[in-house]
Amino acid sequence: VKVLKTVSNCPFDCSYCFLQNYLNDGKLSAIGDLDAVIEEVKEKLEAQPWRFFRIGTWELGDSLALEKMTGQAEYLIKAFRTLPNAVLELKTKSDCVDTILDLDHQQKTVVSWSMNTDTIIRKQEHKTASLEDRLSAIKKVSDAGYLLGFHFDPMIDYPNAAAEYDDLVDAIFSRVPISQVAWISMGSLRFNPEMKHKMEENFPASVLTAAEMSLGPDKKLRYPKPTRLAMYDALYKKLLTYNAHESLIYLCMERWDVWEHVMGYSPTSIGHLDFLFAESMKKRYPHLVLNTPDQTLYERYQDT
């Protein structure tokens, strides 16, 4: 996955968001010279024509929250429709999709949503679109022919969470076909100790930091492994009832042993995971991946 840093900061106010510990000036900004951004992308694609690229804009902000003001997503969607061996991923917690529905995207853009239960959206994802508004936007984008992505991340443990995540999956797949879902990720609540203090300072009413957590080798606090496994197992089992294994399902920021337990396998490297993305996309959407993915190349050049 490659990221274009085209937006900085976010109008939303999620209590767990890492940006509160990373960007502290409160300013929202978006890159104006998108022509230069696309030229950089083209250079990268030309340098590695054998590779399939997934390129996102969501590292430091929401891909669509500012779209009515910037028109950035519309520009990028139009630019990516002619680029070989690459898809654009727009990740959002918004319902700001109306301006992109009539574009000629050629399925070269994956519109993805960070999804959580209604309870978590109402209590922790402040200023974001409601669950019903997100679901409505998802249906609009699906009807417009875009490929979709879903990120169940961060999953949060609370009473009745398992049943509510089940209901969330039902709500999504009652509206969209699995054939349009390019990938699905699962991840759990995590933050470093410094971030914990920021969360408590900025959101004193939130109970997220009161949960039992342990510090991992990456210096991030997470739920204990048995808790995470139970959460992932339940969600994965539910996803499989909709044949979601046809999409690429992957875990965020988890070790090989968690992958092995939940998925029955684990990628051996970042390059291997990139290869699995390319392989899955080639199998399901061959018009998007020009070459047959070569695992050796992906692992050899995984850091470039």
Side-chain angles (χ1 to χ4, degrees), residues 40-49 53 55 83-86:
E40 289 183 20
V41 171
K42 288 179 178 178
E43 289 178 9
K44 190 70 174 178
L45 300 185
E46 290 170 1
Q48 296 182 318
F53 288 86
I55 301 175
L83 298 182
N85 279 342

Side-chain angles (χ1 to χ4, degrees), residues 33-248:
D33 189 2
L34 292 174
D35 288 339
V37 171
I38 292 300
E39 286 306 310
E40 289 183 20
V41 171
K42 288 179 178 178
E43 289 178 9
K44 190 70 174 178
L45 300 185
E46 290 170 1
Q48 296 182 318
W50 51 268
R51 183 177 228 158
F52 173 75
F53 288 86
R54 170 190 170 195
I55 301 175
T57 64
W58 32 258
E59 184 176 53
L60 297 179
D62 187 287
S63 296
L64 290 174
L66 304 177
E67 182 61 13
K68 290 181 180 179
M69 292 180 284
T70 67
Q72 188 180 96
E74 179 178 352
Y75 176 96
L76 293 173
I77 290 168
K78 291 177 178 178
F80 266 78
R81 69 188 175 196
T82 60
L83 298 182
N85 279 342
V87 292
L88 171 70
E89 182 178 20
L90 301 173
K91 187 190 294 184
T92 189
K93 289 190 179 85
S94 80
D95 59 349
C96 303
V97 300
D98 289 347
T99 60
I100 69 171
L101 296 178
D102 295 328
L103 301 181
D104 177 17
H105 52 80
Q106 299 291 315
Q107 287 197 319
K108 299 299 297 291
T109 293
V110 178
V111 186
S112 68
W113 270 267
S114 295
M115 296 300 291
N116 229 308
T117 65
D118 183 59
T119 295
I120 296 303
I121 291 173
R122 287 185 291 104
K123 293 184 177 181
Q124 308 295 344
E125 297 186 353
H126 312 294
K127 303 180 184 178
T128 67
S130 69
L131 177 57
E132 279 305 314
D133 286 345
R134 286 187 215 183
L135 291 169
S136 176
I138 289 166
K139 180 67 165 62
K140 289 179 183 179
V141 167
S142 173
D143 289 347
Y146 284 93
L147 297 181
L148 305 169
F150 295 109
H151 301 278
F152 297 92
D153 187 11
M155 295 183 69
I156 294 174
D157 186 39
Y158 62 94
N160 206 42
E164 291 192 22
Y165 280 109
D166 266 15
D167 291 343
L168 176 60
V169 173
D170 287 335
I172 291 170
F173 288 106
S174 67
R175 289 165 171 81
V176 300
I178 191 63
S179 60
Q180 277 179 253
V181 180
W183 49 69
I184 299 169
S185 72
M186 302 186 295
S188 64
L189 181 66
R190 55 198 179 271
F191 44 80
N192 61 36
E194 182 182 355
M195 173 73 177
K196 178 177 184 289
H197 298 310
K198 284 283 188 180
M199 292 167 64
E200 292 169 342
E201 177 183 328
N202 295 337
F203 300 94
S206 174
V207 298
L208 296 186
T209 60
E212 179 185 357
M213 292 194 160
S214 55
L215 191 65
D218 61 355
K219 308 302 181 185
K220 290 186 179 179
L221 293 161
R222 288 178 174 79
Y223 296 127
K225 184 176 175 181
T227 301
R228 303 198 320 274
L229 292 180
M231 294 167 68
Y232 296 148
D233 281 344
L235 180 59
Y236 188 58
K237 181 179 179 180
K238 182 66 176 181
L239 289 169
L240 293 184
T241 66
Y242 287 96
N243 294 320
H245 60 283
E246 294 178 12
S247 306
L248 180 68

